[in-house]
Amino acid sequence: MLFKGKRLIVDEVDFFPEKNMSPFNNDQTLNLQMDHHHHHVDTCLDLLTKISPSNKPDDVESDATIKNNNKYVALTAELHQMNIENQHLRDLVEKLRINYKDLEKRVVWLKQKHYKHEKNDEPSEERKNMVELIECDRKTGKIGNGVILDRIDMDDNEISQAKTTTPSSNKVPRLNSDQASESMMKKARVSVRAKSEASMISDGCQWRKYGQKMAKGNPHPRAYYRCTMGTTCPVRKQVQRCADDSSVLVTTYEGQHDHPLPPAAKTMASTTTSAASMLLSGPMISADGLIESSSLPCSHNITLSASAPFPTITLDLTKTPTNNSSHGQFNIFQPILPHKFMSAPNIFGMDQKGSFADTVSAAATALTSDPKFPTALVAAITSIIGSNSNINKNDIANDIKRDHQCNNS
DNA sequence: CGCCTTTGACCGGCGC
DNA sequence: GCGCCGGTCAAAGGCG
């Protein structure tokens, strides 16, 4: 960048951090303000180029050059200004994001605290683990991503109370946040109830039976299956007929697949994972460990239980829902499911629509030989979806009926 | 031969 | 400590 007769090298402004070091005289003033905090130049240009009347005619060319240079400098200044505003907006967004996360954690924690207080004064195993995690993180000065609570949400009294009521806490293996969340995810169970005469519903996965036991209070044996699609896959499932109704087959899934899955299997996997995520978020569980049947329009289809040894969510496909909403339709996910389940991508990288569509498809793949079952399921699913969903209900119905025909053929 | 089911033994947690 | 119970292991046998 050259002024004829006077040299201006804008690219070197960074090399003159002090305004007074500017190599220009008063006829051409360039004010540079260094913003050291943001480590970039906050350029406030006040370029007052005074052309003397005694300029020679051959300076006409330099006039155009000076105008262009003025434009360039002005645009550069504007760009810098926009960068600054952009940075400020980014900072603002980041602060809002942090505040939102804090509030989200606080809400979850308060609801869990409320639930624990009503149900049991003793801290749960998960809470004990969390206490240890918090103590560990206090020492290390960091909070893991997977920790539901953080130091903001639990004061010293609560920690000491939990510790004093946990005399055997040293027996609890110390887990990091990822391990803790993984452990909780593994413990969470998803149970599916479906009418079936078959010994096992088809869910697209390959299973190997590794045990069978007679469970107390049920004349029917409980079969234990392990996923064989991956050599180290930790997913297990239990299959047992309902004690009250032998025509109902109860399939309970536990764990996450650690290998690629065929579409039919992926659907069930995403279902159980989403349901487990929903379950582990926990705050919708009532004091008795179950959702109040009167509070949910279709609670006869989904049941949450925290009273069992493992937190379990039960999807009941044996009953057709009744449209008892004032609008003739209901959407169970709107009032009860946590934000995470509604909008966040699940661990399989599918969005909510895909996940739920897969859920529907998973149910379809689980259909048994009962010819009435597809119709009932379509009715149930379409009523669950509600009017706000973008999912094409006719496509779902067609998928279910097609899958049912395939299963029966 | 490999994969599967069967089934009794074994293990750990929990309550008494 | 003991027994109960749920869950898992592993040997034995069946099947294609």
Side-chain angles (χ1 to χ4, degrees), chain A residues 5-23:
Chain A
K6 292 186 179 180
R7 194 173 295 268
L8 174 62
I9 306 173
V10 173
D11 289 340
E12 290 184 4
V13 291
D14 282 338
F15 295 103
F16 300 99
E18 301 297 332
K19 289 191 281 187
N20 295 335
M21 293 176 66
S22 172

Side-chain angles (χ1 to χ4, degrees), chain A residues 69-257:
Chain A
N69 289 335
N70 287 348
K71 267 187 179 177
Y72 176 81
V73 173
L75 287 173
T76 305
E78 191 177 352
L79 183 63
H80 280 306
Q81 196 64 35
M82 292 177 72
N83 281 336
I84 294 167
E85 290 179 11
N86 187 26
Q87 185 62 40
H88 288 163
L89 288 172
R90 285 173 183 272
D91 292 344
L92 189 61
V93 168
E94 179 64 16
K95 286 177 183 175
L96 286 171
R97 193 188 66 82
I98 292 171
N99 286 340
Y100 171 78
K101 287 289 180 186
D102 286 343
L103 285 172
E104 191 178 39
K105 288 177 183 176
R106 188 174 292 274
V107 168
V108 170
W109 160 236
L110 286 174
K111 287 185 176 179
Q112 285 182 341
K113 182 181 178 182
H114 176 72
Y115 161 62
K116 296 293 181 188
H117 179 72
E118 287 193 358
K119 181 178 176 62
N120 192 348
D121 287 336
E122 293 292 321
S124 67
E125 199 66 24
E126 287 78 9
R127 180 176 172 84
K128 295 170 189 172
N129 287 337
M130 287 176 183
V131 169
E132 291 215 343
L133 285 168
I134 291 167
E135 285 249 300
C136 178
D137 286 334
R138 278 172 178 259
K139 294 174 183 174
T140 59
K142 66 179 182 65
I143 299 291
N145 291 333
V147 181
I148 296 175
L149 310 174
D150 68 16
R151 69 188 97 192
I152 300 172
D153 301 315
M154 183 181 285
D155 57 37
D156 289 332
N157 291 335
E158 293 175 50
I159 292 174
S160 60
Q161 179 190 356
K163 285 185 68 177
T164 54
T165 56
T166 314
S168 60
S169 61
N170 54 351
K171 293 180 181 176
V172 178
R174 184 176 292 271
L175 305 175
N176 61 35
S177 57
D178 290 339
Q179 289 172 326
S181 59
E182 184 181 354
S183 173
M184 291 179 68
M185 182 65 82
K186 185 181 178 183
K187 283 182 179 178
R189 292 179 173 180
V190 179
S191 185
V192 179
R193 290 167 50 90
K195 281 187 179 294
S196 173
E197 299 302 321
S199 61
M200 191 171 69
I201 61 175
S202 169
D203 51 21
C205 265
Q206 293 176 358
W207 303 93
R208 176 175 180 168
K209 191 176 183 178
Y210 67 91
Q212 179 167 308
K213 293 281 287 188
M214 294 301 296
K216 187 182 179 184
N218 193 329
H220 307 100
R222 174 184 299 165
Y224 299 90
Y225 293 88
R226 177 182 292 131
C227 178
T228 59
M229 298 189 77
T231 54
T232 61
C233 183
V235 176
R236 317 239 160 143
K237 78 171 180 180
Q238 301 174 7
V239 180
Q240 187 176 31
R241 296 213 164 270
C242 181
D244 299 329
D245 185 356
S246 60
S247 66
V248 175
L249 198 65
V250 181
T251 306
T252 304
Y253 295 88
E254 176 185 325
Q256 301 172 53
H257 295 281

Side-chain angles (χ1 to χ4, degrees), chain A residues 329 331 333-334 342 351-354 356-357 360 381-382 384-396:
Chain A
Q329 287 179 319
N331 183 352
F333 296 99
Q334 199 64 42
M342 285 296 296
D351 59 17
Q352 172 57 26
K353 289 178 189 175
F356 186 70
V360 175
I381 290 169
T382 51
I384 286 172
I385 292 171
S387 58
N388 294 332
S389 173
N390 294 325
I391 302 172
N392 189 318
K393 300 172 189 176
N394 290 331
D395 290 344
I396 294 170

